[in-house]
Amino acid sequence: MPLKFAVLYGSVRAERAGIGSALFFVRKLEERGHSVQFVDVKEYPLPFLDRMYKEFPAGTAPESLEKLHGILNSAEAFVVVSGEYNHSIPPALKNLLDHFQREYFFKPSGIVTYSAGQYGGARVSVHLRDVLGELGTPSISSVFNIPRVLDAFDRDGTCKDPALEKRSVRFLNELEWYADALKAKRAGGLPY
């Protein structure tokens, strides 16, 4: 059954090594028949967090926050794609995540991390799991780490590593399973 996904990509660097990995997941989800909104933080400039979206009186939030609220609120699951900056989350991605809260509640997330080195952003995935859980979008147990990202994808999302193609199937199967399960539970009411 088709689902609504938001793929969140958090780098604003001029030479964004991970853009191909984010576009890969957009395409893979679309190939499975899902509706996908790609949220590139570079396309949605946000101020440093002063007020969360929910703290603005109705109709007064900046336009970029209104658009993002609509995308995140309608999504039924999230794929969060992050590079590793000093063993942690890129500031633009953290800022995006922190501007919202209720939009994430009781919807699963999948963590995709990358780095130029051999560990594929493994350290940032630990931080992301904590942040996403606190925001109410629990991450699935599988994490999709991409080592040597410059060799793994073209900038348009074409995968150059058959092993990553194969791993993506299991990762997305698990995320879909959780998305379906939580969608059914939300339809029956929330726990508060």
Side-chain angles (χ1 to χ4, degrees):
M1 188 169 199
L3 294 161
K4 295 177 184 175
F5 284 86
V7 175
L8 313 180
Y9 177 60
S11 175
V12 294
R13 288 185 168 185
E15 296 295 321
R16 302 187 302 163
I19 189 75
S21 58
L23 295 174
F24 170 78
F25 278 99
V26 169
R27 187 171 61 252
K28 286 297 174 188
L29 288 164
E30 289 174 342
E31 287 173 0
R32 289 170 172 242
H34 302 301
S35 170
V36 183
Q37 290 284 329
F38 180 45
V39 176
D40 179 347
V41 294
K42 215 169 189 177
E43 302 296 322
Y44 293 92
L46 296 172
F48 288 119
L49 181 64
D50 177 35
R51 286 192 286 174
M52 296 174 71
Y53 173 80
K54 68 179 184 176
E55 296 170 325
F56 284 90
T60 66
E63 183 181 349
S64 58
L65 279 180
E66 287 291 352
K67 286 181 182 176
L68 286 166
H69 163 74
I71 291 169
L72 300 177
N73 203 47
S74 67
E76 296 166 317
F78 306 98
V79 175
V80 181
V81 183
S82 177
E84 182 175 295
Y85 289 28
N86 300 315
H87 298 192
S88 194
I89 304 165
L93 177 59
K94 182 69 166 71
N95 192 50
L96 166 68
L97 293 170
D98 287 345
H99 270 88
F100 300 94
Q101 188 178 33
R102 291 185 182 101
E103 293 82 356
Y104 304 118
F105 283 1
F106 307 106
K107 301 173 187 178
S109 58
I111 296 172
V112 176
T113 63
Y114 62 87
S115 71
Q118 66 183 341
Y119 299 112
R123 293 168 290 217
V124 72
S125 62
V126 174
H127 294 199
L128 267 175
R129 192 177 299 278
D130 287 344
V131 170
L132 295 172
E134 180 62 26
L135 289 172
T137 174
S139 60
I140 62 173
S141 62
S142 296
V143 173
F144 199 91
N145 301 116
I146 304 166
R148 297 175 189 84
V149 70
L150 297 170
D151 299 326
F153 295 96
D154 288 334
R155 291 187 60 79
D156 68 356
T158 302
C159 186
K160 299 188 281 187
D161 182 348
L164 293 175
E165 285 271 2
K166 185 176 178 182
R167 280 182 43 219
S168 73
V169 173
R170 179 171 183 232
F171 177 79
L172 291 175
N173 285 347
E174 184 179 345
L175 183 56
E176 284 174 334
W177 188 92
Y178 277 96
D180 281 332
L182 289 178
K183 180 178 180 178
K185 288 300 286 183
R186 284 193 314 275
L190 298 179
Y192 53 81

